[in-house]
Amino acid sequence: MTGSFCTLIQWPGPATATGFLQLRLMPLLEREPPLAELEAALHGALAGRGRVVLVSGEAGIGKTALVEQFTHDQRHQVRVLWGACDALFTPRPLGPLHDMAAQLKGEWPARLSAGGPPAALFAVFLAELRQRPSLVIVEDVHWADEATLDLLKYLSRRVAGAPALVVLTYRDDELGVRHPLRALLVDLAASNVVVRLPLTPLSVGAVRTLLGERRLEAESLHQQTGGNPFFVTEAIAAGGGLPPTVREAVLARAARLSLSGQAVLRAAAVIGPRIEPALLAAVTSAEAYAAEECLSLGMLAAHGEALSFRHELARQTILETMPPTQRLALHRLTLVALRRSPAARADLTRLRALSALSMLLQVTSQKDEAERANQAALAVLEPLTPNRELIFAYNMEAWLRLGRNDNAGGVAMAEKGLALARHFEEDGELPRLYEIAGLCWLYLDHARGLEFLERALALALKIEHVEQTLAEPLSSPTHGASASTASPLLGDDALDGVIWLHTYVSADRCRAYCICDASSPGAVRRAAMRNSLPVDRITEVRILTPYSFT
Ligand SMILES: Nc1ncnc2c1ncn2[C@@H]1O[C@H](COP(=O)(O)OP(=O)(O)O)[C@@H](O)[C@H]1O
Ligand SMILES: [Mg+2]
């Protein structure tokens, strides 16, 4: 019954009279029970027992996908009328009714634009529903204008005798106590025509199905996204990183908080995946209501005594968009507060805080404190099941050890981080190899730098179908035998700070790839021009920075 369909479907979209075509390639997972309930309710409605179905859940949980699937399945049985409420600063009064009038055609559009008392319009609409079996979808009623809420109240009180199924979708996690939709919901609660369909997150198994052959880890993706299908599908499309769509969605939501609410959210993001209210209070001076606000807008969720971000991806977004100085200040406050509560030591929250703190301290050259913080993080993270925090802490440790001339130790740590990254990230290996090579270079360990560069390039050759054409194996032209081979280039280029490292040509021999160490893309271009080499594209391979660990 549930659809795994790859066909073009006609969405009776509200925006245009003709609707638009949408291609759904993803199967809808784990929605058999709500689809069956919708079908049963429609069955009753067609027999004259009209019903109102409330499809609720947070943004991205799949409300629209569910009703689209359902209307697609039922479109031959019943007339579908589709209306939507929009998040407008000035809501269109009766917006959804206008949408549906456009689909009803005939005298409807004229009747609506003629205006008149709403109650008369409602009565005419109800009469229309009594004429023909109808499936009425009103999407996103958390944004409904007051007139629409009145219409829905009117309909829900009279639908029982009509061959109509009215399906309302709304975000239940964004309804503050004074939200106008609440009054309608209270009204509906007493009604016996209402069917409630709260949608639940996807399971790890469903996330695994969506991942298919991709090399991301289902458990970890599930944990990061809280099983929210929107976050899952976007994160998969982005190959594991933080997709811009998720970032935008999270920031748009956070922007609706008051300034105190936003301050609490930032502190909570720094504290970590699990937030004890006492710790939050110690770190932020905001009033308690600000935390309440984060809860009622659905950014944070309560789990027994503790709070957490509803989605780990949301927490990452807030962290990443915070200025480093502010992050550092919050890390410090968190650490101070944690030192006062040793009982809480075993939880991931502070590990993340500790290793991130370590990174930030490193940037500000407070090495001893950074080392202690990272050691503390490693001591707790290593015995746990493999986790992303550990990649971060290993890389941090590599950076710290190389910094104090323990090159072998640093590289061993980088290798551990690399092995874990391979486990967690699709396509993560190549950039990380380049980065470790860069890190060794930075600390003047050219031999090890070359080793990593060689591994990176071997992988690049495999992935990008580029072949190596240098006569001798990789070596730095500034050291050893190949220095003389490269000297015609190096002499002048050194002036621009450009060191030519390696050259490759593509398998079809139409393109050459040069790797060089340089201060800027402009310097590379100048050096190339001086040597009459046509430069097409210059791609920067970042030298490892602490920020690239995150
Ligand atoms: N059960 C599901 N299985 C797979 N993908 C889903 C499922 N539900 C939703 N999606 C996908 O997740 C994304 C968000 O769903 P959507 O219906 O727009 O959420 P909502 O309307 O609740 O905000 C869409 O890309 C949708 O295709
Ligand atoms: Mg939707």
Side-chain angles (χ1 to χ4, degrees), residues 24 26-31 58-66 139 202 210 229-230 233:
R24 179 187 290 289
M26 285 286 196
L28 209 51
L29 300 173
E30 299 183 336
R31 292 296 181 243
E58 64 185 2
I61 197 74
K63 303 178 290 299
T64 301
L66 180 81
E139 274 248 77
L202 298 178
L210 287 172
F230 169 71
T233 47

Side-chain angles (χ1 to χ4, degrees), residues 269-272 315 319 324 327-332 334-335 348-364 369-370 373-378 381 388-390 392-394 396 400 546-547 549-550:
V270 167
I271 290 175
R315 193 176 75 82
L319 270 181
R327 206 156 109 173
L328 178 58
L330 284 169
H331 275 299
R332 279 187 193 288
T334 308
L335 199 65
L348 268 181
T349 299
R350 48 208 50 114
L351 311 177
R352 180 75 197 186
L354 286 173
S355 46
L357 172 74
S358 160
M359 173 190 85
L360 287 161
L361 293 177
Q362 169 73 17
V363 175
T364 53
E369 201 179 340
N374 206 55
Q375 279 300 326
L378 276 174
L381 286 166
R388 276 176 185 279
E389 275 75 14
L390 195 50
F392 180 91
Y394 278 144
M396 195 61 240
L400 290 165
Y547 292 106
F549 285 135
T550 52

Side-chain angles (χ1 to χ4, degrees), residues 303-426:
H303 299 283
E305 297 283 283
L307 302 174
S308 73
F309 268 77
R310 196 175 278 274
H311 307 285
E312 177 59 16
L313 287 180
R315 193 176 75 82
Q316 281 175 29
T317 302
I318 301 296
L319 270 181
E320 282 182 18
T321 46
M322 209 184 290
T325 43
Q326 192 176 27
R327 206 156 109 173
L328 178 58
L330 284 169
H331 275 299
R332 279 187 193 288
L333 286 171
T334 308
L335 199 65
V336 168
L338 282 172
R339 285 209 183 106
R340 291 199 194 117
S341 106
R345 195 160 290 149
D347 106 37
L348 268 181
T349 299
R350 48 208 50 114
L351 311 177
R352 180 75 197 186
L354 286 173
S355 46
L357 172 74
S358 160
M359 173 190 85
L360 287 161
L361 293 177
Q362 169 73 17
V363 175
T364 53
S365 311
Q366 298 171 40
K367 285 214 176 101
D368 292 348
E369 201 179 340
E371 280 175 9
R372 273 198 304 277
N374 206 55
Q375 279 300 326
L378 276 174
V380 192
L381 286 166
E382 276 192 311
L384 301 174
T385 51
N387 52 72
R388 276 176 185 279
E389 275 75 14
L390 195 50
I391 306 180
F392 180 91
Y394 278 144
N395 286 336
M396 195 61 240
E397 195 58 22
W399 173 270
L400 290 165
R401 288 196 187 188
L402 281 159
R404 62 176 123 85
N405 295 328
D406 174 11
N407 292 0
V411 165
M413 286 294 149
E415 289 280 13
K416 285 184 168 192
L418 196 65
L420 266 186
R422 220 175 281 137
H423 178 69
F424 278 105
E425 297 165 1
E426 203 172 18

